[in-house]
Amino acid sequence: MSSNTDINIKKLQSTANIIRQDIIRMLAKAGSGHAGGSLGMTDILTVLYFKILKHTAEQPNNRYRDRLVLSNGHICPVLYATLARAGYFPLVKLKSLRQINSDLQGHPHKSSLPGIETSSGPLGQGISQAVGMALAANMNKQKHHIFCITSDGEHDEGQVWEAIMTAHKYKLDNLINIIDYNGIQIDGLTKDIMPLNSLRQKYEAFHWQVLEMNGHNIKEIIKTLEKAKNIKKPVAIIAHTILGKGVSFMENQYAWHGKAPNEEEKTKALKELEDAK
Amino acid sequence: MPNNNSKNKSTRDGFGEALLELGKKNKDVVVVSADLAESTRVHHFAKRYPERFVEVGVAEQNMMGVAAGLALEGKIPFAASYGTFSPARNWDQLRISVCYSQANVKIIASHTGLSVGPDGASHQMLEDIAITRCLPNLVVLAPADFNEAKLATLAAAKHLGPVYMRLTRPNSPIFTKGKFAIGQAQILLPGQDVTIIGAGPILHEALLAARELAKQKIKVEVINCASIKPLDKNTILRSVKKTKRVITLEDHQIIGGLGSAIAELLSEHLPVPIKMIGVKDQFGRSGQAEELWEKYEMTHPYIIKKVLEILKK
């Protein structure tokens, strides 16, 4: 059993590595976009799409699917690459990110691509939509889960807290909010821009169950997400992540929040990722 | 003019009645409220269908997002508040969560125009048409009376896609003819000298003006343009081809409102003299609806004055 598990973990790690390389290539080709958050959330997105979510790429609108709402839309390169690797659309499309006549818009547009549940970009909006989806699932007596991804900086938006209150009021035990907690936002460190601590206590005060995980430990991500699905309350997972994870010169550098690599940086990044395989 | 005539009823009450009817007919119809259920008249629905009523508290941004999420799952949510809070405070959510995704949300604003009255400028939403008709995928409706509000509510539910509907607080005369379709204007009164195009309960002032002008042998054509977007280009152009003079009338800022929409159409297709009646780049203030319409020069004597001015052109 354990050796099987180890093989699966290895496979997921390798998939995440490939997706990271996709992200580097996409962003370098596009010449703009958000590298840091995309690389930081790659392990979690990989586990979601290749292990946790109930979904079928061939039937992106299947009503029994688990929903994934990407509230911090700027990290969509990781979502696009993961969806492509999961079979939602041809890999060749990834090259068209942010270009004219492409379906891969700079920020996600619901109607443009299969597998995109909502449009996002302005922060704070996804979590409210996830609450609406969770309410609809309850009204329809459906059993699927709604996973939402938000960022730590996004919690500066008041709308997030409005949604958090609503989730508690309606006891949305089908809602799981994964917080990309890398401590960095566009202008600098979250603790300097707008201190968020203590996020766990804040969520707990709003009557959510809070879990924490290392957002780069595949085994821990699987365990935490599985646990979250069985909690009879809205769950916040504080995912401790490293902005730019996997590329040494991007890691923890806020300059890489909203930047794409140039040709030289691309080559260097791909080599590092290839070596880590 | 809103007055104490016992036959008068408000457009928000028309909406509230139609919503109850919809609730019975279609179980996908749901309501999202931001703590103004009675004022917006969704309380009838809430009482009858509590399992389809979502109360998010005083949180309009979240209301719009929750409504979008419900719509993306196949529900037909009516998100109701005052215009000053929704779509004003949550315009970003309307733009991205609703319009960009073509989420099937019906945004209902119960308190628009100076006719809100004593609550004053903060609560008199005078810019909603301007900020909604510029959004892609969004239908914009402004029913003129109780009956039309009922019909517009039913039409909004049937329409697949986001709809904004502007409603009013006070009781007002009922004068429409029992027909409504999105994208269609109604000729309330035929005439050939001047076309008055208006929307909302204030249109009754145009009918009063037309009655007075008829005594002076001036025949005014009055068009009810409840569907502000899409505009009924054919009906408007046909009328203006005949009269060659236009007055627009709305309880809204002149900048960006119905008059602007008409001017956009006519300046491109049929340039003619236009005079616009509405709020002239000012905030409102406290007072009774009829006092405010008088103070802001929107009642029938002012309409008559504008008609006589434009006839000299």
Side-chain angles (χ1 to χ4, degrees), chain B residues 32-208:
Chain B
V32 191
S33 164
D35 197 28
L36 289 168
E38 188 178 340
S39 291
T40 59
R41 297 298 190 255
V42 299
H43 62 310
H44 306 299
F45 182 100
K47 207 173 157 200
R48 188 81 64 82
Y49 306 105
E51 72 290 352
R52 283 189 265 150
F53 177 74
V54 180
E55 174 59 74
V56 299
V58 194
E60 296 80 15
Q61 301 176 49
N62 187 44
M63 173 179 73
M64 192 70 85
V66 166
L70 286 160
L72 295 175
E73 292 295 328
K75 300 294 177 195
I76 306 173
F78 281 75
S81 184
Y82 290 4
T84 190
F85 311 131
S86 174
R89 192 183 191 126
N90 54 14
W91 186 83
D92 176 23
Q93 287 76 10
L94 170 61
R95 177 171 176 263
I96 295 300
S97 296
V98 175
C99 293
Y100 191 32
S101 293
Q102 284 187 275
N104 194 20
V105 178
K106 317 304 168 187
I107 302 99
I108 310 298
S110 67
H111 285 48
T112 66
L114 293 171
S115 77
V116 169
D119 275 350
S122 65
H123 283 51
Q124 293 159 350
M125 185 58 190
L126 299 174
E127 297 84 13
D128 55 313
I129 296 174
I131 64 171
T132 52
R133 72 182 187 87
C134 58
L135 287 173
N137 299 333
L138 186 61
V139 165
V140 180
L141 305 177
D145 64 13
F146 173 89
N147 287 348
E148 193 169 54
K150 277 185 87 168
L151 295 173
T153 304
L154 301 177
K158 222 172 228 177
H159 175 82
L160 190 63
V163 175
Y164 169 62
M165 187 159 67
R166 144 180 251 256
L167 299 174
T168 43
R169 189 188 74 89
N171 290 334
S172 55
I174 298 174
F175 55 88
T176 60
K177 294 172 179 169
K179 276 202 294 185
F180 180 85
I182 290 172
Q184 275 182 30
Q186 303 274 334
I187 296 175
L188 292 179
L189 197 70
Q192 57 278 322
D193 298 326
V194 179
T195 302
I196 300 180
I197 305 170
I202 199 163
L203 203 48
H204 189 251
E205 294 293 323
L207 293 174
L208 297 178

Side-chain angles (χ1 to χ4, degrees), chain A residues 8-19 46 277:
Chain A
N8 288 337
I9 302 277
K10 278 242 146 41
K11 217 172 152 188
L12 287 167
Q13 281 166 339
S14 148
T15 305
N17 183 294
I18 291 166
I19 290 171
T46 303
K277 240 180 153 180

Side-chain angles (χ1 to χ4, degrees), chain A residues 129-190:
Chain A
Q129 293 178 76
V131 165
M133 290 174 165
L135 284 165
N138 285 347
M139 287 177 190
N140 297 338
K141 300 193 172 28
Q142 291 171 289
K143 295 287 174 219
H144 60 264
H145 280 86
I146 292 89
F147 292 85
C148 183
I149 294 175
T150 51
S151 70
D152 46 5
E154 183 170 13
H155 285 68
D156 296 355
E157 294 279 6
Q159 183 181 1
V160 171
W161 300 97
E162 296 177 1
I164 290 169
M165 282 195 277
T166 310
H168 161 62
K169 178 186 173 188
Y170 287 98
K171 302 190 173 22
L172 300 176
D173 59 5
N174 50 359
L175 178 66
I176 297 167
N177 183 24
I178 303 169
I179 301 140
D180 179 9
Y181 199 83
N182 60 22
I184 290 172
Q185 55 197 103
I186 199 161
D187 271 354
L189 301 179
T190 301

